[in-house]
PDB file of all heavy atoms in Angstrom:
ATOM      1  N   GLY I  69      80.559 105.550  76.476  1.00 93.00           N
ATOM      2  CA  GLY I  69      79.295 105.139  75.876  1.00 93.00           C
ATOM      3  C   GLY I  69      78.130 105.921  76.344  1.00 93.00           C
ATOM      4  O   GLY I  69      78.189 107.166  76.534  1.00 93.00           O
ATOM      5  N   LEU I  70      77.009 105.248  76.593  1.00 93.00           N
ATOM      6  CA  LEU I  70      75.769 105.922  77.004  1.00 93.00           C
ATOM      7  C   LEU I  70      75.472 105.733  78.502  1.00 93.00           C
ATOM      8  O   LEU I  70      74.421 106.136  78.954  1.00 93.00           O
ATOM      9  CB  LEU I  70      74.613 105.405  76.176  1.00 93.00           C
ATOM     10  CG  LEU I  70      74.714 105.675  74.681  1.00 93.00           C
ATOM     11  CD1 LEU I  70      73.518 105.069  73.920  1.00 93.00           C
ATOM     12  CD2 LEU I  70      74.798 107.175  74.409  1.00 93.00           C
ATOM     13  N   ALA I  71      76.364 105.095  79.223  1.00 95.00           N
ATOM     14  CA  ALA I  71      76.206 104.907  80.656  1.00 95.00           C
ATOM     15  C   ALA I  71      76.765 106.133  81.394  1.00 95.00           C
ATOM     16  O   ALA I  71      77.776 106.083  82.082  1.00 95.00           O
ATOM     17  CB  ALA I  71      76.904 103.645  81.150  1.00 95.00           C
ATOM     18  N   THR I  72      76.107 107.290  81.165  1.00 97.00           N
ATOM     19  CA  THR I  72      76.655 108.530  81.640  1.00 97.00           C
ATOM     20  C   THR I  72      75.579 109.417  82.276  1.00 97.00           C
ATOM     21  O   THR I  72      74.390 109.149  82.112  1.00 97.00           O
ATOM     22  CB  THR I  72      77.295 109.354  80.502  1.00 97.00           C
ATOM     23  OG1 THR I  72      76.288 109.688  79.505  1.00 97.00           O
ATOM     24  CG2 THR I  72      78.401 108.549  79.810  1.00 97.00           C
ATOM     25  N   ALA I  73      76.011 110.454  82.968  1.00 97.00           N
ATOM     26  CA  ALA I  73      75.096 111.397  83.577  1.00 97.00           C
ATOM     27  C   ALA I  73      75.729 112.776  83.735  1.00 97.00           C
ATOM     28  O   ALA I  73      76.953 112.868  83.859  1.00 97.00           O
ATOM     29  CB  ALA I  73      74.631 110.916  84.968  1.00 97.00           C
ATOM     30  N   ALA I  74      74.892 113.780  83.668  1.00 97.00           N
ATOM     31  CA  ALA I  74      75.302 115.148  84.027  1.00 97.00           C
ATOM     32  C   ALA I  74      74.988 115.354  85.497  1.00 97.00           C
ATOM     33  O   ALA I  74      73.914 114.921  85.982  1.00 97.00           O
ATOM     34  CB  ALA I  74      74.560 116.167  83.153  1.00 97.00           C
ATOM     35  N   LEU I  75      75.874 115.997  86.205  1.00 98.00           N
ATOM     36  CA  LEU I  75      75.746 116.184  87.669  1.00 98.00           C
ATOM     37  C   LEU I  75      75.291 117.591  87.960  1.00 98.00           C
ATOM     38  O   LEU I  75      75.682 118.550  87.338  1.00 98.00           O
ATOM     39  CB  LEU I  75      77.047 115.936  88.365  1.00 98.00           C
ATOM     40  CG  LEU I  75      77.775 114.600  88.137  1.00 98.00           C
ATOM     41  CD1 LEU I  75      79.048 114.534  88.987  1.00 98.00           C
ATOM     42  CD2 LEU I  75      76.873 113.425  88.463  1.00 98.00           C
ATOM     43  N   SER I  76      74.466 117.722  88.999  1.00 97.00           N
ATOM     44  CA  SER I  76      74.139 119.078  89.524  1.00 97.00           C
ATOM     45  C   SER I  76      75.403 119.686  90.092  1.00 97.00           C
ATOM     46  O   SER I  76      76.390 118.999  90.392  1.00 97.00           O
ATOM     47  CB  SER I  76      73.055 118.971  90.601  1.00 97.00           C
ATOM     48  OG  SER I  76      73.527 118.195  91.702  1.00 97.00           O
ATOM     49  N   THR I  77      75.390 121.008  90.258  1.00 95.00           N
ATOM     50  CA  THR I  77      76.553 121.758  90.714  1.00 95.00           C
ATOM     51  C   THR I  77      77.121 121.168  92.005  1.00 95.00           C
ATOM     52  O   THR I  77      78.341 121.103  92.180  1.00 95.00           O
ATOM     53  CB  THR I  77      76.192 123.227  90.940  1.00 95.00           C
ATOM     54  OG1 THR I  77      75.629 123.755  89.716  1.00 95.00           O
ATOM     55  CG2 THR I  77      77.409 124.048  91.324  1.00 95.00           C
ATOM     56  N   THR I  78      76.258 120.730  92.892  1.00 95.00           N
ATOM     57  CA  THR I  78      76.714 120.194  94.183  1.00 95.00           C
ATOM     58  C   THR I  78      77.601 118.986  93.997  1.00 95.00           C
ATOM     59  O   THR I  78      78.596 118.829  94.739  1.00 95.00           O
ATOM     60  CB  THR I  78      75.465 119.782  95.022  1.00 95.00           C
ATOM     61  OG1 THR I  78      74.662 120.930  95.179  1.00 95.00           O
ATOM     62  CG2 THR I  78      75.879 119.253  96.381  1.00 95.00           C
ATOM     63  N   LEU I  79      77.346 118.127  93.021  1.00 97.00           N
ATOM     64  CA  LEU I  79      78.146 116.982  92.760  1.00 97.00           C
ATOM     65  C   LEU I  79      79.292 117.243  91.820  1.00 97.00           C
ATOM     66  O   LEU I  79      80.341 116.598  91.881  1.00 97.00           O
ATOM     67  CB  LEU I  79      77.272 115.854  92.199  1.00 97.00           C
ATOM     68  CG  LEU I  79      76.229 115.225  93.129  1.00 97.00           C
ATOM     69  CD1 LEU I  79      75.312 114.316  92.335  1.00 97.00           C
ATOM     70  CD2 LEU I  79      76.903 114.460  94.231  1.00 97.00           C
ATOM     71  N   PHE I  80      79.102 118.185  90.882  1.00 97.00           N
ATOM     72  CA  PHE I  80      80.070 118.467  89.829  1.00 97.00           C
ATOM     73  C   PHE I  80      81.360 119.071  90.381  1.00 97.00           C
ATOM     74  O   PHE I  80      82.469 118.801  89.896  1.00 97.00           O
ATOM     75  CB  PHE I  80      79.486 119.408  88.819  1.00 97.00           C
ATOM     76  CG  PHE I  80      80.265 119.568  87.544  1.00 97.00           C
ATOM     77  CD1 PHE I  80      80.364 118.529  86.632  1.00 97.00           C
ATOM     78  CD2 PHE I  80      80.942 120.735  87.265  1.00 97.00           C
ATOM     79  CE1 PHE I  80      81.130 118.645  85.477  1.00 97.00           C
ATOM     80  CE2 PHE I  80      81.684 120.888  86.126  1.00 97.00           C
ATOM     81  CZ  PHE I  80      81.778 119.849  85.210  1.00 97.00           C
ATOM     82  N   LYS I  81      81.258 119.900  91.424  1.00 95.00           N
ATOM     83  CA  LYS I  81      82.398 120.409  92.169  1.00 95.00           C
ATOM     84  C   LYS I  81      83.418 121.126  91.232  1.00 95.00           C
ATOM     85  O   LYS I  81      84.622 120.835  91.278  1.00 95.00           O
ATOM     86  CB  LYS I  81      83.106 119.321  92.940  1.00 95.00           C
ATOM     87  CG  LYS I  81      82.272 118.622  93.991  1.00 95.00           C
ATOM     88  CD  LYS I  81      83.092 117.590  94.749  1.00 95.00           C
ATOM     89  CE  LYS I  81      82.276 116.884  95.822  1.00 95.00           C
ATOM     90  NZ  LYS I  81      81.258 115.969  95.233  1.00 95.00           N
ATOM     91  N   ASP I  82      82.909 122.005  90.378  1.00 95.00           N
ATOM     92  CA  ASP I  82      83.773 122.756  89.442  1.00 95.00           C
ATOM     93  C   ASP I  82      84.602 121.880  88.577  1.00 95.00           C
ATOM     94  O   ASP I  82      85.756 122.229  88.176  1.00 95.00           O
ATOM     95  CB  ASP I  82      84.694 123.707  90.245  1.00 95.00           C
ATOM     96  CG  ASP I  82      83.919 124.835  90.913  1.00 95.00           C
ATOM     97  OD1 ASP I  82      82.936 125.308  90.341  1.00 95.00           O
ATOM     98  OD2 ASP I  82      84.299 125.228  92.031  1.00 95.00           O
ATOM     99  N   GLY I  83      84.081 120.695  88.260  1.00 96.00           N
ATOM    100  CA  GLY I  83      84.785 119.802  87.349  1.00 96.00           C
ATOM    101  C   GLY I  83      85.575 118.698  88.027  1.00 96.00           C
ATOM    102  O   GLY I  83      85.957 117.711  87.416  1.00 96.00           O
ATOM    103  N   TYR I  84      85.779 118.793  89.361  1.00 97.00           N
ATOM    104  CA  TYR I  84      86.503 117.725  90.067  1.00 97.00           C
ATOM    105  C   TYR I  84      85.649 116.472  90.202  1.00 97.00           C
ATOM    106  O   TYR I  84      86.181 115.408  90.580  1.00 97.00           O
ATOM    107  CB  TYR I  84      86.943 118.251  91.428  1.00 97.00           C
ATOM    108  CG  TYR I  84      88.020 119.266  91.337  1.00 97.00           C
ATOM    109  CD1 TYR I  84      87.778 120.600  91.609  1.00 97.00           C
ATOM    110  CD2 TYR I  84      89.322 118.953  90.986  1.00 97.00           C
ATOM    111  CE1 TYR I  84      88.733 121.592  91.528  1.00 97.00           C
ATOM    112  CE2 TYR I  84      90.329 119.900  90.898  1.00 97.00           C
ATOM    113  CZ  TYR I  84      90.034 121.228  91.159  1.00 97.00           C
ATOM    114  OH  TYR I  84      91.013 122.174  91.063  1.00 97.00           O
ATOM    115  N   GLY I  85      84.324 116.551  89.918  1.00 97.00           N
ATOM    116  CA  GLY I  85      83.502 115.367  89.928  1.00 97.00           C
ATOM    117  C   GLY I  85      83.527 114.595  88.600  1.00 97.00           C
ATOM    118  O   GLY I  85      82.977 113.499  88.527  1.00 97.00           O
TER     119      GLY I  85
END
Side-chain angles (χ1 to χ4, degrees):
L70 298 178
T72 62
L75 306 182
S76 61
T77 304
T78 301
L79 292 171
F80 191 71
K81 300 182 179 72
D82 292 324
Y84 290 107

